[in-house]
Amino acid sequence: AAAVAKVRRLTVVLPLLEEGVAGRRCIEFYRGMLMAIDQMRDEMQGEMVITTLNEPASGASMSHLKEEVEKSAPDVVIGPLYPGHFETVRGWVAARSKTEWLIPFSSKYPSVASQPRTILLNAPDEYKGQMAADLFVQHFRQARIVFLHEQGGDEVLFTSGLRNRLVAAGMEVADLPVGYTRDDMQKAVAAKGLTLFVPDASTNAVATKLLDQMAHVSAPNAHSRVALAGYSRWNDADSGVRSLLTRPATDVYLCMPYFHDAGSPQGARFTSDYYGWFRQSAAEGGQYAAMGHDAMLAYFGQTQRHQVGTLPVFSRIAEGGGRVNSTFVLLQFTPQGTIQQIALTNR
C-alpha cells in the first residue's frame, strides 16, 4: 500500500488585524512563516494545514475562539502575543494530549520549566543570561566585566544570570551601584585589557545616557580599552537608539537572541523573495519576517540551507520541562562603522 502523507496542522493566534507596531510585527512574523512552509513543502513530503485566528486586544477575552481552535485540531498552536492570554491558550493545549505550543515573542512564561510541550522562541531572561555568559567567557575571557546598576533596572534577571555564571567561571567582575557617575566608570577601567560595562536596564534613556558617557570614559594606556554591552531593542528601528550606533565612541556589543543581516547574500535574497510574495517591502529590515521564517525551519527540524538569520535551537531546559531557544549572538558595532556578528564557535 502507498504511504499516507502526514498532515501537519498549525493554528496561529496573533493580533494580525491590530494596527500599530505590534500588529505589524505579527504580520511580518506570519508572512515569514508562510515563506518557510512553502520552501519546506517538498522536503517534508506532506500537507500543511494552517488555521489563522485573530488575537483580540490585551485584556480582552478569547473564549469566542475556543470552538475554532478545537475544530482546527492543531498539532501546534503558535501565539499568542499578549501574556494575558497565556492561560487561555494553555487550557486549549492541555485539553489535547499531543498538541505543542510555540510562544513566539514573550519570554514571560515561567511555567515552561514544568510543561514539556511548551516552546519559547524568546528564552526567559535568566536563561539568556546564562547563554550570554558562555559567549562572554569565550570572547572576553581576560576582560573586566563591570555591571552598572540602574534604578528599577528591567534586565536584572538577565544580568544576575550572567554575573553568577561569570563569577563561577573565574572571570573578573565588578559592580557600580545605582547613582554611579562618569568618574566612577572611569575609576573602574582596568589598567590592562578590556573593560566591558554591562547595564542592568535596556531603556532608551539608559542607552542614550551610556552611549554619551562612553565618549568620555577613556582607556588609560595603549594596553587597555573600554566597551559597552547593550540589548537587542537598541537595534529596533523605532527605538531612537539605532542611529547612535552608526559610529559609537567605543565598541558596543548588543546581546541578541536572534539576528538577521539584511545586507548579507541570504538577507538580500530573502528581501527579494518577500517582495515577490507580498508586493511590498518587509518592515524593519525584514527582522520579524526572517524570525518567523527561521522559527519554522527550526521547529520542523529542517536543514540550515534555507535559513536567513541565526537559526533557533530549541533546547529542553530540564527533565519534564519545555524547550527554549538557546541560540544567542553578540552584535558588535565599531567606531569605524562596521557591524560584526559574534557567535559561539563550538556549537
Side-chain angles (χ1 to χ4, degrees), residues 15 17 30 32 56 93 108 135 236 246 264 284 288 291 301 305 344:
L17 300 181
Y30 177 64
V93 172
K108 312 299 183 186
L135 267 172
D236 287 347
T246 306
S264 69
E284 300 187 39
Y288 289 88
M291 187 187 304
R305 66 188 181 92
L344 283 172

Side-chain angles (χ1 to χ4, degrees), residues 201-278:
S202 66
T203 63
N204 291 356
V206 168
T208 303
K209 175 189 74 173
L210 288 175
L211 287 167
D212 175 68
Q213 287 184 336
M214 291 303 293
H216 306 282
V217 176
S218 58
N221 56 62
H223 302 291
S224 66
R225 64 188 184 96
V226 295
L228 175 67
Y231 297 93
S232 58
R233 64 182 291 184
W234 297 5
N235 195 46
D236 287 347
D238 60 350
S239 70
V241 176
R242 190 157 74 176
S243 61
L244 303 178
L245 298 171
T246 306
R247 285 186 177 273
T250 64
D251 285 343
V252 178
Y253 298 91
L254 298 191
C255 300
M256 310 281 289
Y258 180 81
F259 176 63
H260 155 64
D261 182 2
S264 69
Q266 301 100 309
R269 185 166 57 250
F270 182 74
T271 298
S272 176
D273 290 346
Y274 184 100
Y275 188 86
W277 269 67
F278 305 109

Side-chain angles (χ1 to χ4, degrees), residues 15 23 46 76 94 120 148 169 230 262 274 277 307 312 335:
V76 58
L120 297 188
L148 304 174
Y274 184 100
W277 269 67
Q307 76 183 89

Side-chain angles (χ1 to χ4, degrees), residues 27-233:
I27 286 176
E28 295 281 298
F29 184 89
Y30 177 64
R31 287 175 169 179
M33 284 178 49
L34 296 180
M35 294 172 69
I37 289 168
D38 184 69
Q39 284 180 318
M40 294 186 293
R41 186 167 48 190
D42 292 338
E43 296 173 19
M44 295 183 68
Q45 299 179 342
E47 183 181 0
M48 194 81 72
V49 178
I50 305 172
T51 300
T52 306
L53 303 175
N54 185 58
E55 179 185 357
S58 178
S61 172
M62 292 209 302
S63 59
H64 63 290
L65 298 180
K66 180 179 179 181
E67 185 177 348
E68 292 296 321
V69 172
E70 291 175 347
K71 284 196 297 186
S72 69
D75 295 304
V76 58
V77 175
I78 300 173
L81 171 66
Y82 297 116
H85 294 148
F86 284 168
E87 189 58 26
T88 299
V89 177
R90 186 204 63 77
W92 294 343
V93 172
R96 300 181 58 81
S97 61
K98 295 183 179 179
T99 297
E100 294 191 320
W101 178 18
L102 173 61
I103 301 174
F105 294 108
S106 179
S107 63
K108 312 299 183 186
Y109 189 69
S111 298
V112 67
S114 60
Q115 294 180 2
R117 290 185 280 139
T118 302
I119 305 165
L120 297 188
L121 182 59
N122 188 7
D125 290 342
E126 57 268 37
Y127 295 106
K128 286 182 194 158
Q130 295 170 18
M131 298 169 205
D134 294 338
L135 267 172
F136 275 47
V137 169
Q138 187 171 94
H139 292 276
F140 306 129
R141 182 67 193 180
Q142 304 304 319
R144 173 183 291 175
I145 311 298
V146 180
F147 289 93
L148 304 174
H149 297 277
E150 304 287 344
Q151 188 69 45
D154 61 322
E155 295 288 351
V156 170
L157 279 177
F158 170 81
T159 54
S160 294
L162 172 60
R163 190 186 191 285
N164 291 341
R165 193 86 159 224
L166 296 181
V167 169
M171 288 186 63
E172 183 181 358
V173 169
D175 295 88
L176 291 181
V178 173
Y180 65 87
T181 65
R182 185 187 301 166
D183 287 341
D184 294 328
M185 293 176 67
Q186 185 64 63
K187 292 174 184 176
V189 176
K192 184 178 180 181
L194 171 67
T195 299
L196 180 62
F197 292 97
V198 183
D200 66 2
S202 66
T203 63
N204 291 356
V206 168
T208 303
K209 175 189 74 173
L210 288 175
L211 287 167
D212 175 68
Q213 287 184 336
M214 291 303 293
H216 306 282
V217 176
S218 58
N221 56 62
H223 302 291
S224 66
R225 64 188 184 96
V226 295
L228 175 67
Y231 297 93
S232 58
R233 64 182 291 184

